[in-house]
Amino acid sequence: MTAHTAPLASGSPDKHLQGLVRRQEHRLAADVLARQQSTIPQPPRGYPAFVDGPGNWSGTHSGKSPVNVHPLDAAEVDAGMKTYGELELDGDEVNPERFPLPGLQSQLEQCAFDVHYGSGLCILRGLSNESYTVEDSTVIFLALASYVGDQRGLQNSKGDMLCRATSHVTESKSWTVPRAKRHGIHTNEGLPFHTDMGCEILSMQVRDQADTGGHTCVASIAAIYNDLVRSNPWALHLLAEHNWPVQSSSKKDPSFVLSPLLEFHDGNLLVSMDPARIGPHPLSRDNSVPSLTPEQEEALVVLQKAARKHQVRLETQPGDIVFINNLSLLHAREAYSDSATSSRHLVRLWLRNKKLGWAIPPSMKMPWDAAFGDRAAKVVNRHYPIVPMPEYMECKYSNGTAAFVADDDSSFESSGGDEAILSTTRGHSWHQLDGNG
């Protein structure tokens, strides 16, 4: 699809005119798309005309909330912690057999089912962060999460499972690096709707909340899809095309792969989309990753608008553990402000459930393989930094969203502070970083 404009004279120095031409090309391309909407079959080939089921929910609908909150019995969790402590194992070795919760097990299994075949959302509530040390709180987080997803995913190629670079979603008051030079999750700015590409279940432990704002918002891709089938079917066709340049996280591979952002596979509608990972990075100089077309940029705008229309705001509180189906839901973050005594702080895990997990289409395997597949299996050393880095190390690539850190973003190889390893076995390490928790 091509929009025609009068060409600029060779060597024209008028940069303002060039900008006007580019904007005009963008408007013309959008106009052409709008005129051709009626000629495109509503769903892409092989996709359903309508996606139904408990995962099709919208914030525009009144009635039952899609958020399932499961109360926790703190006494039973404490008993499980005592049993696990008697085994004298590292924190990362926790699993349901070693951390028994007989009274809560059925609830946790229901939570796992809700995440995969219900609304895609589950929140565990009832624990107080003040009741535990940061080490014990992290062990409890891993233990409860192991009932929902029995495999933890790598969050970068360096083996970080609770990645100091990306898993501690906070803005420490001790950091002096300007916000413009940090990753998006390490600022107080809003983040657009996205998924953590490669992750199946996104799990977050709420350690502290902002003074104002900072809510996590989620939106169902089923509701978005059904909306776009009616209103903007051309956008669905573009999102389903296998021609979106997705940046690779490894220097050993080509710099990008061409993938769809939307895929209907094995009876499920999956979304895999992070604006910071699609197309070339703004600071990249090698031009190896293709730029998005005006039509693709417009489709992303339509997707964001539809997600905002159908979003639900999660009302969480410190101590909560949130589970999100990262293949069926998009999530975003509101801008926020901390007070002198508060500091919004989430800790992130990537999980999968080997029994309940959805089949991953080949077109979306590249980021998944780095987190859970053969590539992840080759990383022997696994690290669990349990508090944020005390001094922020300026990153080479500052991404707008949270999930993607390229291999050559080596700034995060060191935290810049003193690091004590509490215990180490089989190449796994459990880190306490001196600094703000």
Side-chain angles (χ1 to χ4, degrees), residues 176-229:
T176 57
V177 172
R179 286 172 178 159
K181 295 183 178 181
R182 302 185 214 150
H183 280 271
I185 59 169
H186 295 140
T187 74
N188 66 348
E189 299 167 358
L191 295 177
F193 278 97
H194 64 282
T195 67
D196 290 11
M197 297 178 76
C199 169
E200 293 192 28
I201 307 168
L202 173 62
S203 180
M204 296 178 290
Q205 181 190 44
V206 182
R207 289 195 181 173
D208 198 0
Q209 61 187 7
D211 186 50
T212 59
H215 291 91
T216 297
C217 300
V218 291
S220 161
I221 193 60
I224 294 169
Y225 177 90
N226 292 335
D227 186 326
L228 297 184
V229 165

Side-chain angles (χ1 to χ4, degrees), residues 308-429:
R308 290 193 297 271
K309 174 182 175 181
H310 295 285
Q311 71 178 2
V312 166
R313 174 190 289 174
L314 300 185
E315 300 290 347
T316 57
Q317 57 193 44
D320 284 357
I321 298 176
V322 181
F323 298 93
I324 296 173
N325 187 324
N326 189 64
L327 302 173
S328 69
L329 305 182
L330 294 162
H331 62 280
R333 185 188 72 194
E334 297 175 342
Y336 68 92
S337 296
D338 288 328
S339 68
T341 58
S342 70
S343 182
R344 184 184 188 272
H345 186 183
L346 307 181
V347 183
R348 186 181 72 190
L349 268 178
W350 286 358
L351 302 168
R352 74 181 294 254
N353 187 304
K354 296 175 184 176
K355 292 182 180 179
L356 299 177
W358 293 7
I360 306 298
S363 61
M364 294 180 174
K365 268 288 177 68
M366 185 269 286
W368 180 92
D369 186 60
F372 298 105
D374 293 339
R375 178 176 295 169
K378 296 176 182 178
V379 179
V380 177
N381 297 321
R382 307 292 175 97
H383 311 295
Y384 290 80
I386 58 178
V387 295
M389 46 194 164
E391 298 177 18
Y392 198 91
M393 303 299 290
E394 182 179 334
C395 46
K396 179 179 178 181
Y397 294 128
S398 178
N399 294 75
T401 43
F404 179 54
V405 179
D407 269 4
D408 59 352
D409 202 347
S410 57
S411 303
F412 286 114
E413 290 180 359
S414 172
S415 67
D418 297 331
E419 182 175 83
I421 300 177
L422 300 185
S423 59
T424 304
T425 59
R426 295 184 305 282
H428 291 202
S429 54

